[in-house]
Amino acid sequence: MKGDQRAGGRTWRDRALAQVPAHLLNACRGVKYFIMSAIGSIGSRFPHWRTLLQYLGSLRWTVACLLWMCVLTVWGTVAQVNPEVGLYGALQRVFRSWWFRGPVGLPLPGMVGTLAVFFVNLLASLFQRFRPIRCYVGLWVLHLGLGLLLVGSWVGVHHARESTVTLAEGQSTSVGVSSHEWELVIIEPVGETRRRVHAWDLRSLRPGQNLPLPGMPDGATVHRVWSSVEWSGSQPPSPEALRSARHVDPERAIPAVVLRVGTDRFALVGEGDALRIPRRDTTDAVFVHLRRTRHPLPITIRLVDFQKEFYPNSRIPRSFESRIEVFDGRSQRPVVISMNRPFRYGPFTFYQSSYIDHPDGPEISVLAVSENRVRLLPYVSCALMFAGMVLHYLSPGRRR
Amino acid sequence: MKRSRVRSTVFAFWAVLTVAWAADADRRMLRAFEDLVVLEGGRPMPMGTYARLAMWQICGRPSWSGRSAAAWIADLIFDAEKVHGQAWILVNHPDVLDALDLPSDPPRRRVSHLELQRSLPTLAKLYREASERPSNERTVVDREFLRLGAALELYAGLSRNDLPAVWPQENAEHSPWLPVSELGAAGPAALEVANLWRALAKAWRERDRERVLQLVSDIRRRTLAQCSSIAHLDVRLNVESWMNRWRPFSWAIAAYVLAALAWLALSAPPGQWGRWTIGSGMMWAGWLAHTVGLAARTFIMGRPPVTNLYSTFVFVGWVVAFAALWPRRPEVRRPVGIVVAALAAALLAVAARYEVEGDVMAKVVAVLDSNFWLTTHVLTITLGYSGCLLAGALAHWALWVAGSRGPADASPWFHTVRGYLAFGLALTFLGTALGGVWADQSWGRFWGWDPKENGALLIVLWTAAVFHARAGNLIDEAGLAAGAILTVPVVLTAWLAINLLGIGLHSYGFSQGTFAGWVTASVAEVVAAVGLWMRARRRRLCETVRPV
């Protein structure tokens, strides 16, 4: 084998390198020299940096982070069983938090906080521990893939948006409705058939914030904001009856806002009735209410037909299929969305999520919409990580 | 005297022959009955499979009183009066017996349909109340009412010929099938088949063997002709009938147990005929039977080997057993053989337990209807489970050797454990990543913190923690082996316990009743890991301070 590789007095590596243009090879060597000398000079000229890197890149931190992530994974999974918490509650509390309150109010690092420490530990150990020799190539690739995965996850969490489109046969829409985000909207009629809509993300509202109301010089002032409320007594509740509800699944949570308009206070609770405020300048009125956040879609979709099939003589589902028409402003085309066969449009993915049976009316299809501009990052990073593992396990240097 | 002895010998011989012939005639009739084609759970299957499923539901066992499932179900379909008085309907809880005003001693017993007859209105009322209760509020007794109600519904359906579905309405793959009781109004061809079924019932009652064989053959031929649009259906049914008769997985269990015993008991010196030949031979025989069973399942279903929880056990057992076939050196082959043969037999035995829950070759639900992803994601992650389980199982031996003979002797074993654990980590990671890709294709997101995804992540995180702890010298080789043992409960959590939660998008994998087994196995593994690790550590300390 060795003899084969060295046929002609040169190794396969030499022959491969001979194919690379000399200036490219020299440039690569230069970059490699620069990086290695930079790392070396950091270590030799700034010994305290080296100590810091050693501390931050310690494998003790790595093991501690991994074990704590195990605990958080179990914690977040078991938390989902509680119907008052659910998947989104567990996401907010454990998986997408920097820290959270554990038993007896003890502050504990959440998954984001732990991953941040893990990322710093990874960077520090990459600088401090890995050497540019062949037997470490696999570990380099594996850990670079891991770093990319962490960065990709971070970007994905902050830039991905999820919503649903619920359509009866024959209906069309160009907005997706979020299942757990809310917005406060002011609707201003403009002419006979048009309305102007002003929307504020509920999370961005703060007490004391002024909201401009058309036809009202003083506007409306936000008095209080709750992400989840409960109340006893009358329906709809008065502002005084509302109190904060804790540990509620964000999908089921009912938010509330108390607005002050002039001297009066009004409570907007969940998707209740809209508040009608007469304008002072005209005889018209504006409407204020809370609703689940609408995310505009770049296309209009119309549900032509929804079909569900079961295996014969059973209730085992065989397929769910929505036949839709997509209009993107220029052309209209038919599309079929079924299980394992989503429809993609740019960063948007539409997939068959659910359906609602109507014995008397038309069938209703529920499509989930996911908007993610870094969708392929996890693919790349996972491929890198697996390739790194394989390289590492097969590395001849490691075997020695 | 001599003549009478000859006469009595001839008579005895004749009697034995007659009984054997009669028994054989009965067996041939039953075999013919088992070959009939029916539809259950959306898939055509041999009557033999259907009878076993029905028997599990009604009786809680695949056979009862020395009679096979097919014998009981055939009598129920063709001669219901004969079995109404037989006590073969399982009642699993004394409170249910009390509620139905039946003697509750013993507390779990089988009753006859005649005994239950007068309690049926009470049972119907209790069944309705239990079914109206939310599933998370149901008690054990409620669940038993539901089970018994479903079993009696099945019983009644079979005795009235409303079940099973025996005739496809149209020659199309997904056409509904009709039971015998509805064939009369379904056209001339169906009417002819209905008449054949009536004739079959009569011949069965009269024990007219030739007529039964002829009618079964005719019905089967017509049914297959009516569903000729389903590819290779006749071959698949034949293979399934063959599997029902020969039960290759049972043979595999027996062979694995024998292999383990041979390696354990026979003490021929290495290299000689003895335990090596017998142990290896039995292991190979078991693995071949296992392979044949797995291949047959794959062919019958037209799917990759893993489609449900049952098949994960079968596949993991197969991969695990494969590992025992390769070690060449006798000193390695024996311990590996003992550990792996026992593990493979245990996995197949656990798989057999899932037969109670229904058809083990059931149709896959819509979300799983992708052979590509079933092959890539599911097989890969199951391979990862196999690697982790192998590492955990061999780690017991490695720590035992370290505790008995010292860490130097255990070094090759630690190396093997590390290799399998690395294999498990790599494959579980790849499987998890491929699952993310599938989730992205199906649900539009790569990762959603769904419980099943979290289970796979847990294995990756735990094994990565063990490797990093070893790389940082936080633990020694014995610590790594103890970590490998602790990987077993982690794998069991991801594999089984997550399904008990009953939440998330992987609803097709939900199961019940494995909680006690999971807790027992996990606690046992934790105790084993701690005990063996402490033993190995004490041995190492003794060696360190041994006086010169």
Side-chain angles (χ1 to χ4, degrees):
Chain A
M1 189 66 189
K2 206 89 174 172
D4 293 340
Q5 281 182 356
R6 290 178 177 278
R10 296 195 305 175
T11 63
W12 63 270
R13 186 167 170 270
D14 295 334
R15 286 204 301 280
L17 286 176
Q19 304 297 320
V20 182
H23 59 278
L24 186 60
L25 204 59
N26 287 335
C28 290
R29 284 178 179 147
V31 170
K32 181 182 165 188
Y33 175 79
F34 174 78
I35 292 173
M36 297 329 300
S37 55
I39 294 172
S41 65
I42 287 171
S44 57
R45 291 183 194 175
F46 303 102
H48 52 282
W49 275 57
R50 176 178 276 182
T51 313
L52 182 67
L53 274 180
Q54 273 177 353
Y55 176 72
L56 291 176
S58 161
L59 277 169
R60 286 174 197 277
W61 276 112
T62 314
V63 174
C65 286
L66 286 167
L67 290 178
W68 183 244
M69 280 192 271
C70 285
V71 173
L72 287 178
T73 305
V74 174
W75 197 316
T77 307
V78 174
Q80 294 177 31
V81 180
N82 183 349
E84 290 188 351
V85 177
L87 172 63
Y88 282 99
L91 275 180
Q92 301 299 328
R93 187 165 178 232
V94 179
F95 295 129
R96 287 186 184 166
S97 64
W98 285 86
W99 66 279
F100 66 101
R101 289 202 178 277
V104 294
L106 195 68
L108 297 169
M111 192 58 98
V112 175
T114 313
L115 284 175
V117 176
F118 190 59
F119 186 66
V120 171
N121 173 254
L122 174 69
L123 284 183
S125 64
L126 280 176
F127 277 109
Q128 176 243 331
R129 186 167 293 107
F130 293 103
R131 297 284 172 270
I133 52 177
R134 201 186 300 169
C135 68
Y136 278 96
V137 168
L139 288 182
W140 265 104
V141 175
L142 166 58
H143 288 85
L144 284 177
L146 177 61
L148 190 62
L149 182 69
L150 293 175
V151 172
S153 308
W154 175 261
V155 176
V157 163
H158 287 85
H159 289 85
R161 276 201 308 209
E162 289 178 357
S163 57
T164 54
V165 167
T166 306
L167 290 173
E169 285 170 343
Q171 279 186 340
S172 59
T173 186
S174 58
V175 290
V177 180
S178 171
S179 59
H180 55 279
E181 292 168 354
W182 290 77
E183 62 187 7
L184 184 143
V185 288
I186 296 174
I187 300 170
E188 176 191 1
V190 183
E192 285 295 312
T193 56
R194 290 170 61 84
R195 297 177 306 170
R196 188 176 291 135
V197 177
H198 310 266
W200 286 266
D201 187 339
L202 195 66
R203 289 168 300 189
S204 69
L205 292 181
R206 297 284 176 271
Q209 183 176 344
N210 190 265
L211 307 176
L213 277 179
M216 301 281 288
D218 298 335
T221 309
V222 178
H223 183 63
R224 283 201 74 173
V225 183
W226 288 277
S227 58
S228 173
V229 286
E230 56 189 8
W231 68 91
S232 52
S234 64
Q235 179 81 19
S238 63
E240 291 74 27
L242 294 170
R243 60 180 180 275
S244 179
R246 296 187 68 194
H247 304 308
V248 175
D249 179 356
E251 278 195 323
R252 300 185 191 183
I254 301 170
V257 174
V258 174
L259 289 180
R260 190 186 299 132
V261 181
T263 54
D264 298 327
R265 288 197 303 163
F266 302 97
L268 298 168
V269 182
E271 283 182 308
D273 294 336
L275 174 66
R276 184 178 183 280
I277 303 174
R279 295 178 67 141
R280 287 187 189 163
D281 52 350
T282 64
T283 53
D284 286 343
V286 293
F287 296 88
V288 185
H289 77 127
L290 285 179
R291 68 180 189 188
R292 292 182 189 272
T293 304
R294 265 58 167 172
H295 295 302
L297 303 173
I299 51 174
T300 302
I301 56 176
R302 190 172 81 86
L303 180 66
V304 178
D305 185 26
F306 174 72
Q307 290 181 345
K308 58 178 189 296
E309 287 181 33
F310 296 90
Y311 288 105
N313 298 48
S314 77
R315 295 300 293 170
I316 303 174
R318 192 166 70 85
S319 79
F320 304 113
E321 191 175 280
S322 292
R323 292 179 178 276
I324 60 169
E325 273 180 356
V326 175
F327 180 63
D328 62 359
R330 292 188 302 275
S331 61
Q332 191 163 336
R333 64 190 171 106
V335 170
V336 176
I337 299 175
S338 60
M339 303 301 288
N340 294 317
R341 196 176 151 200
F343 163 59
R344 296 192 193 281
Y345 188 89
F348 290 85
T349 307
F350 298 79
Y351 57 98
Q352 187 67 55
S353 168
S354 179
Y355 67 92
I356 300 168
D357 250 336
H358 255 269
D360 304 323
E363 283 177 315
I364 294 174
S365 174
V366 182
L367 303 175
V369 186
S370 164
E371 182 190 356
N372 190 350
R373 289 172 195 280
V374 289
R375 195 173 66 84
L376 295 178
L377 259 184
Y379 288 44
V380 176
S381 48
C382 286
L384 274 177
M385 287 174 74
F386 184 69
M389 281 185 204
V390 173
L391 275 175
H392 181 64
Y393 294 147
L394 301 181
S395 151
R398 183 182 159 274
R399 263 187 249 154
R400 275 198 298 275
Chain B
M1 184 68 185
K2 206 175 194 178
R3 185 177 287 178
S4 71
R5 192 178 294 167
V6 169
R7 201 179 296 154
S8 58
T9 309
V10 169
F11 178 76
F13 189 64
W14 175 81
V16 168
L17 273 183
T18 308
V19 170
W21 184 83
D24 186 55
D26 272 0
R27 204 168 61 236
R28 286 185 65 190
M29 274 171 53
L30 274 179
R31 279 197 174 186
F33 173 75
E34 286 173 355
D35 285 342
L36 283 166
V37 186
V38 299
L39 184 101
E40 173 64 18
R43 79 174 181 100
M45 60 172 66
M47 181 66 96
T49 308
Y50 181 81
R52 267 180 85 87
L53 292 173
M55 191 70 179
W56 272 114
Q57 208 173 336
I58 294 171
C59 186
R61 289 184 59 151
S63 60
W64 179 244
S65 285
R67 301 184 72 210
S68 69
W72 281 101
I73 300 302
D75 280 346
L76 184 57
I77 292 174
F78 298 134
D79 197 2
E81 293 300 321
K82 189 176 165 185
V83 290
H84 278 341
Q86 308 267 359
W88 65 300
I89 302 170
L90 176 69
V91 181
N92 231 343
H93 202 285
D95 289 3
V96 175
L97 289 166
D98 289 341
L100 299 180
D101 200 19
L102 295 168
S104 56
D105 185 28
R108 178 182 185 273
R109 68 185 189 94
R110 286 169 180 81
V111 296
S112 71
H113 191 259
L114 286 179
E115 271 182 277
L116 279 170
Q117 199 101 46
R118 62 188 168 81
S119 313
L120 285 181
T122 315
L123 178 62
K125 178 175 157 283
L126 294 168
Y127 178 87
R128 199 171 48 250
E129 285 173 6
S131 59
E132 283 166 1
R133 208 158 286 155
S135 59
N136 56 346
E137 290 175 15
R138 284 178 196 153
T139 62
V140 181
V141 179
D142 287 335
R143 285 200 290 273
E144 179 55 18
F145 279 129
L146 293 176
R147 192 202 64 76
L148 182 61
L152 283 176
E153 208 171 307
L154 173 66
Y155 186 101
L158 287 166
S159 63
R160 287 195 307 259
N161 288 350
D162 288 342
L163 287 171
V166 296
W167 180 254
Q169 266 180 325
E170 294 164 23
N171 190 353
E173 188 168 356
H174 298 296
S175 150
W177 287 38
L178 298 173
V180 174
S181 60
E182 292 176 22
L183 288 183
L191 186 60
E192 281 180 32
V193 175
N195 290 333
L196 288 175
W197 273 91
R198 272 186 218 108
L200 176 62
K202 184 166 176 284
W204 189 273
R205 283 193 294 272
E206 292 168 357
R207 296 281 166 205
D208 185 347
R209 183 174 60 116
E210 293 306 322
R211 182 91 178 114
V212 166
L213 297 186
Q214 182 204 336
L215 285 166
V216 164
S217 165
D218 200 5
I219 293 171
R220 184 182 154 90
R221 184 176 50 75
R222 284 167 187 252
T223 313
L224 288 175
Q226 178 70 359
C227 44
S228 57
S229 56
I230 306 176
H232 311 301
L233 180 62
D234 51 342
V235 186
R236 287 184 191 188
L237 290 168
N238 286 340
V239 173
E240 192 169 349
S241 292
W242 176 87
M243 267 193 88
N244 288 339
R245 264 169 220 146
W246 288 99
R247 311 203 66 75
F249 296 135
S250 303
W251 285 103
I253 293 177
Y256 291 148
V257 171
L258 284 175
L261 290 177
W263 270 314
L264 206 61
L266 300 178
S267 56
Q272 288 187 11
W273 202 93
R275 67 176 177 226
W276 314 120
T277 313
I278 295 177
S280 296
M282 293 314 299
M283 202 66 212
W284 269 104
W287 190 75
L288 286 177
H290 203 152
T291 309
V292 168
L294 204 60
R297 261 184 65 85
T298 308
F299 173 70
I300 293 164
M301 293 188 71
R303 297 277 179 193
V306 182
T307 53
N308 52 24
L309 200 53
Y310 165 87
S311 52
T312 57
F313 283 98
V314 173
F315 186 73
V316 170
W318 183 76
V319 176
V320 162
F322 185 71
L325 303 175
W326 297 110
R328 288 275 167 207
R329 285 174 299 153
E331 68 273 18
V332 175
R333 202 191 305 173
R334 185 189 180 212
V336 170
I338 293 169
V339 171
V340 167
L343 181 60
L347 286 167
L348 277 184
V350 173
R353 186 201 161 281
Y354 282 91
E355 288 184 19
V356 186
E357 293 188 1
D359 186 10
V360 293
M361 286 190 266
K363 286 282 186 187
V364 294
V365 294
V367 69
L368 292 181
D369 190 10
S370 163
N371 279 356
F372 173 75
W373 289 115
L374 280 175
T375 308
T376 49
H377 160 61
V378 180
L379 279 194
T380 314
I381 206 146
T382 323
L383 281 169
Y385 289 170
S386 311
C388 292
L389 284 182
L390 266 172
L394 289 174
H396 291 80
W397 179 262
L399 282 178
W400 181 260
V401 172
S404 310
R405 291 183 241 151
D409 279 11
S411 181
W413 292 105
F414 288 140
H415 188 75
T416 310
V417 168
R418 195 166 43 201
Y420 278 126
L421 198 61
F423 175 81
L425 168 62
L427 269 290
T428 309
F429 174 78
L430 181 65
T432 309
L434 287 170
V437 177
W438 189 3
D440 188 41
Q441 298 293 320
S442 285
W443 300 324
R445 88 290 184 283
F446 186 86
W447 193 260
W449 299 103
D450 183 82
K452 202 70 182 168
E453 296 170 349
N454 294 351
L457 176 68
L458 195 61
I459 301 177
V460 174
L461 290 173
W462 172 256
T463 42
V466 171
F467 276 120
H468 282 86
R470 178 70 195 111
N473 276 328
L474 304 178
I475 55 174
D476 57 5
E477 289 289 345
L480 186 130
I485 295 179
L486 292 177
T487 309
V488 175
V490 176
V491 170
L492 292 181
T493 304
W495 193 1
L496 303 173
I498 292 287
N499 302 329
L500 299 171
L501 297 178
I503 50 167
L505 292 170
H506 293 74
S507 53
Y508 41 81
F510 292 170
S511 64
Q512 292 180 337
T514 45
F515 181 75
W518 167 67
V519 170
T520 311
S522 300
V523 170
E525 287 298 312
V526 172
V527 170
V530 174
L532 288 169
W533 175 74
M534 287 177 71
R535 188 167 170 271
R537 192 161 173 268
R538 197 167 59 225
R539 168 81 194 202
R540 200 190 63 183
L541 289 175
C542 289
E543 282 191 358
T544 315
V545 297
R546 186 176 292 163
V548 179

